[in-house]
Amino acid sequence: MLKSLNASVAVVLIAALVGCAGKQYVPPPEGASDVATASFKSASRMNSSLQVMQFDKKGCYQGNTDVPREGATPLRLAAGEERFFMLSATSNSDSCKSVVSFTPETNGRYRLVEQKEFPHGILGVRMCGVRVEREAGDGRFVGVNSQHWRMQQVSFKCFRAAPAGDSSPSTLRITRPVEESLPKTIEKR
């Protein structure tokens, strides 16, 4: 009895781990004309990462792919399609997650900059966020319009993005039609 229970638990754990891999972001093909690029500028080299998020047709979170740090080959993005990004930051025993979205423009070079606020020195992360910037013609980076989100669990298997600061029950769904809010790229497992 105990042996079969252990085997059942192992099967469930393996299935859960395989499911956690989720769907990865697929960038536009080489040679595509409506493309932008993005990179991640961390506040520190330690304990933070930024991922581009994937959602299914119902708006449920499905997986993510790391965004390269500044200095590496940037991530290619389809221009004109809203993209969601999640920052994961930790410091000591504190952790913070922040979700932001924006719609890249053709040939835009974007930098997503980690923002952290430390309450007293390096005691821990109190807040974190992402500032979206685009390279201007003179090489400077300037802020662009972006939307901040929070993730809400709407069912056992479904987490959706809801506008940050809005806690009404209506935020259990994406506020725009799914077809307009979600990427139109091919997803693979």
Side-chain angles (χ1 to χ4, degrees), residues 86-156:
M86 179 173 51
L87 171 69
S88 300
T90 59
S91 177
N92 298 327
S93 62
D94 293 329
S95 66
C96 183
K97 291 197 183 294
S98 181
V99 177
V100 66
S101 71
F102 74 100
T103 303
E105 297 176 4
T106 301
N107 298 321
R109 182 173 168 230
Y110 294 89
R111 179 169 71 179
L112 290 91
V113 182
E114 173 185 20
Q115 305 289 293
K116 286 185 184 178
E117 179 184 318
F118 296 93
H120 303 286
I122 55 172
L123 296 177
V125 176
R126 183 191 307 165
M127 323 171 68
C128 67
V130 177
R131 185 177 69 241
V132 181
E133 301 175 336
R134 180 178 180 178
E135 186 175 29
D138 59 3
R140 293 178 305 114
F141 279 88
V142 295
V144 299
N145 289 333
S146 60
Q147 171 73 44
H148 291 271
W149 303 83
R150 59 190 165 80
M151 299 303 291
Q152 286 189 326
Q153 186 170 5
V154 295
S155 71
F156 181 69

Side-chain angles (χ1 to χ4, degrees), residues 31-87:
S33 59
D34 291 338
V35 175
T37 60
S39 62
F40 173 48
K41 183 176 180 182
S42 176
S44 68
R45 290 266 176 214
M46 300 174 63
N47 303 325
S48 62
S49 63
L50 185 75
Q51 296 87 27
V52 60
M53 302 172 72
Q54 286 298 103
F55 296 88
D56 66 14
K57 291 178 183 176
K58 295 179 181 177
C60 299
Y61 172 70
Q62 293 293 297
N64 59 56
T65 301
D66 284 338
V67 175
R69 289 183 185 267
E70 203 170 37
T73 302
L75 181 71
R76 293 167 41 86
L77 301 171
E81 295 180 12
E82 184 176 30
R83 282 280 165 215
F84 289 75
F85 297 85
M86 179 173 51
L87 171 69

